[in-house]
Amino acid sequence: MRRKHALALAAALLALLLLALGALGWARAQKLRRQAAQAGIWQAGGHWGEALKGGGAESGAKFARKLLELRAAQFPGAEHVSCALIPDKGYYLQGQGAPEYDYQALFSAVQQGLAGSGVAWVDLSGALSASDYYTTDSHWRQERLQPVLDALGASLGFSVSLGDFQPNSVQGFVGAYGKYGAKPAEELVYLTSPATGAAVADNFQHPESTAVYDLSRLKSEVPYDVFLAGATPLVTITNQAAASARELVIFRDSYASSLAPLLVGEYRTITLVDIRYMASGLVPQYVDFTGKDVLFLYSVFVADQSAMLR
């Protein structure tokens, strides 16, 4: 009899525990949904994404003016200056659940603002698709950038083939939207070559990180930081064994972190400048633009909120 009572009590306690755990799981899921909604997080076509803030054409025009001010003040004589905007994955999922946004108005405002300035416009909208981005993160996949390299190379005069790189697969990657419940985990691929192995990074924010791939970051809260160790105002990559003595300066956001390692075989030095974290007036103290190519490479997230450029 006592055994029966003990078993019944144990079963009741287990049921209560399962109910409590279920309630906690439900509450956590509800909290994540609220946080995601507040942050403008959306889901469409198997992807998680983040809504643009709505700066639109007005912000695009200011963005173009900022770039021209930089050129006039810091490298007026540069011969090869190009600009490209990187669409977010929502551009390719319009009508499929991604928030509606007038991308054409933003692109046109930037193009018109740069017209006649000598800054070459590079259209990347046809070089990408939704599948070229991580599903749990906003960033593009390095191993899918051949069309982007072709478009940029046509403007700046270089040629890079991803066939010359070795893919390295990392399983279990969950991007920035993981904190809102994004899943499932996916694959991250980083590409290596003799050039990436020979390249040395001088990182202003992370001086201890001298490789173009900081593998320790794969275990951090932001595993995308494997590319050039993450956010930093300034980093210069040097490869003395590059195919040419050419040098490149990229004004950029985080998307360029995974692009730059693919260019180290073409340029002896690549300097990446992030004026979200560094006042633009300070740049000439650290960067000599003499004889260098210049690329403005920004995602639409920056062009849509161009006030973040200092």
Side-chain angles (χ1 to χ4, degrees):
M1 196 69 164
R2 289 180 180 176
R3 180 178 174 80
K4 285 185 178 180
H5 283 307
L7 289 173
L9 179 59
L13 290 173
L14 178 61
L16 287 172
L17 177 61
L18 291 174
L19 283 172
L21 291 173
L24 286 172
W26 181 85
R28 182 176 183 277
Q30 290 297 102
K31 181 180 179 180
L32 288 175
R33 289 191 187 97
R34 287 195 300 271
Q35 291 175 339
Q38 291 169 357
I41 304 300
W42 51 263
Q43 297 180 57
H47 283 266
W48 291 66
E50 184 175 353
L52 293 166
K53 305 300 183 185
E58 181 179 355
S59 181
K62 291 178 180 178
F63 174 80
R65 287 198 295 272
K66 180 65 175 180
L67 303 193
L68 293 184
E69 289 171 3
L70 281 168
R71 184 183 185 188
Q74 300 184 14
F75 44 95
E79 293 186 12
H80 300 102
V81 183
S82 297
C83 175
L85 284 187
I86 305 165
D88 72 319
K89 66 181 86 173
Y91 175 84
Y92 303 101
L93 294 170
Q94 293 290 283
Q96 300 180 51
E100 293 296 317
Y101 183 87
D102 192 346
Y103 289 92
Q104 193 53 52
L106 177 66
F107 295 156
S108 294
V110 177
Q111 283 183 271
Q112 291 170 12
L114 297 177
S117 68
V119 177
W121 173 257
V122 182
D123 183 4
L124 296 182
S125 61
L128 294 160
S129 66
S131 62
D132 297 325
Y133 298 78
Y134 300 108
T135 59
T136 62
D137 196 86
S138 66
H139 292 100
W140 54 17
R141 294 176 174 271
Q142 188 189 49
E143 75 276 16
R144 303 296 295 269
L145 295 184
Q146 186 65 65
V148 171
L149 291 166
D150 293 343
L152 295 175
S155 180
L156 288 168
F158 64 77
S159 178
V160 173
S161 171
L162 294 188
D164 295 331
F165 292 80
Q166 174 67 39
N168 302 270
S169 175
V170 178
Q171 301 298 325
F173 170 76
V174 178
Y177 303 133
K179 62 184 177 183
Y180 301 112
K183 56 184 181 181
E186 53 189 318
E187 179 188 37
L188 179 148
V189 175
Y190 64 96
L191 302 175
T192 55
S193 68
T196 64
V200 177
D202 181 6
N203 193 312
F204 185 89
Q205 188 75 20
H206 309 289
E208 75 286 354
S209 183
T210 58
V212 295
Y213 299 119
D214 186 342
L215 300 185
S216 68
R217 304 284 176 150
L218 290 170
K219 297 180 181 179
S220 71
E221 293 184 358
V222 187
Y224 178 80
D225 286 354
V226 65
F227 301 106
L228 291 179
T232 180
L234 185 71
V235 57
T236 297
I237 310 168
T238 303
N239 178 17
Q240 295 295 347
S244 75
R246 296 176 65 190
E247 299 179 281
L248 174 67
V249 179
I250 306 177
F251 286 89
R252 58 85 171 224
D253 58 17
S254 55
Y255 285 73
S257 293
S258 54
L259 177 81
L262 305 178
L263 305 181
V264 296
E266 295 296 309
Y267 288 95
R268 182 166 296 175
T269 69
I270 301 173
T271 302
L272 298 99
V273 182
D274 195 335
I275 56 173
R276 295 175 302 167
Y277 307 117
M278 178 183 193
S280 54
L282 296 177
V283 174
Q285 296 181 29
Y286 300 94
V287 182
D288 179 2
F289 290 93
T290 305
K292 297 180 181 178
D293 296 343
V294 179
L295 172 63
F296 294 110
L297 181 65
Y298 286 101
S299 69
V300 291
F301 291 106
V302 173
D304 179 68
Q305 294 291 295
S306 55
M308 70 176 68
L309 298 180
R310 299 171 60 190

